[in-house]
Amino acid sequence: MHISSAIFDCSAPDLASCPDESLPEFAFIGRSNVGKSSLLNFLSGKRELARVSNTPGFTKLINFFTINQNWRLVDLPGYGYAHVARQDQTKFNAAVHDYLQNRANLFCVFALIDASLPPQELDVEFIVWLVDHAVPFVLVFAKSDKVSTTKMQTHITAFKARISENCEMLPDILTCSATARLGRSALLNVIEEAMAQK
Ligand code: GDP
């Protein structure tokens, strides 16, 4: 897929403030610092599409971008900000959970996992939540350049083992690196195919 335009649409603090449901949406989420902003910039070809913040927890709103005038890329607030007050964290989670469960035009979630780490509890919990709530998603192992292919495969296998008892069917898995500029077309293909199927 060629990306000819990527335009910031709006930021929403909750589901009620989200734009109309006229376009297919593909949402990106992951723990703070997983490399989500870098990946969104890499995917869209716009360096500043999602602000790459040095402050974990900067992105607290649901951010919408219209791509090629026919689909939306949705940047969801990350989870697992240690320094964010518990009350605020609960509020962000509520908006994200509401979006994930009730957004009719949500086609697929790209759940980002740090490829250089063994399975992290917060990630496993979140993925199991997606499975339990029947939210369509693919797993994206990001920052693949940080680790050898063998090590990454070990982490992927361990992650699959952690979620396997909750899944009837294991999710599709992609790997990518914004730094090494890898995995872009595979990700965009998922989007293209999902739109072609509907
Ligand atoms: P976010 O908090 O998930 O939006 O993560 P950022 O995109 O802000 O990235 C967090 C840190 O990881 C920054 O220091 C980035 O430079 C770094 N980073 C992002 N993507 C990659 C990647 O593909 N490979 C490596 N090695 N580092 C990355």
Side-chain angles (χ1 to χ4, degrees):
M1 182 196 306
H2 173 68
I3 294 197
S4 51
S5 64
I7 295 162
F8 174 71
D9 198 335
C10 63
S11 293
D14 52 34
L15 184 62
S17 319
C18 290
D20 67 50
E21 297 184 335
S22 59
L23 294 177
E25 288 178 354
F26 295 88
F28 290 74
I29 190 164
R31 259 177 332 118
S32 134
N33 226 32
V34 73
K36 179 167 54 91
S37 310
S38 307
L39 180 65
L40 296 185
N41 295 338
F42 171 48
L43 275 185
S44 66
K46 289 215 171 181
R47 280 186 52 157
E48 287 302 318
L49 185 87
R51 177 176 182 150
V52 179
S53 169
N54 289 327
T55 313
F58 186 84
T59 316
K60 295 172 184 171
L61 298 164
I62 302 177
N63 294 310
F64 294 86
F65 302 87
T66 300
I67 312 293
N68 293 352
Q69 299 177 347
N70 67 352
W71 60 277
R72 288 194 200 111
L73 186 159
V74 182
D75 182 6
L76 291 171
Y79 48 89
Y81 300 115
H83 74 286
V84 172
R86 181 163 283 277
Q87 200 186 348
D88 284 345
Q89 184 70 61
T90 309
K91 206 163 67 192
F92 306 146
N93 284 347
V96 171
H97 286 182
D98 204 11
Y99 172 87
L100 292 171
Q101 285 180 273
N102 299 309
R103 189 73 169 161
N105 56 329
L106 172 61
F107 275 40
C108 185
V109 174
F110 292 84
L112 308 193
I113 308 287
D114 190 329
S116 69
L117 301 174
Q120 304 288 296
E121 279 320 303
L122 267 177
D123 292 329
V124 173
E125 271 172 34
F126 178 69
I127 299 305
V128 167
W129 186 91
L130 287 179
V131 172
D132 288 348
H133 291 82
V135 180
F137 72 98
V138 295
L139 281 182
V140 182
F141 285 82
K143 300 191 185 180
S144 63
D145 63 288
K146 275 184 79 177
V147 70
S148 70
T149 311
T150 316
K151 191 117 201 172
M152 179 165 69
Q153 284 309 329
T154 308
H155 294 156
I156 291 175
T157 305
F159 202 95
K160 286 203 283 201
R162 285 296 310 275
I163 60 169
S164 61
E165 63 188 58
N166 298 82
C167 301
E168 263 175 44
M169 225 174 66
L170 284 168
D172 285 342
I173 290 177
L174 301 171
T175 63
C176 69
S177 161
T179 303
R181 305 186 68 76
L182 294 170
R184 182 174 184 269
S185 26
L187 262 156
L188 292 176
N189 281 347
V190 171
I191 294 174
E192 202 161 25
E193 279 170 22
M195 289 202 295
Q197 273 167 22
K198 293 273 166 155

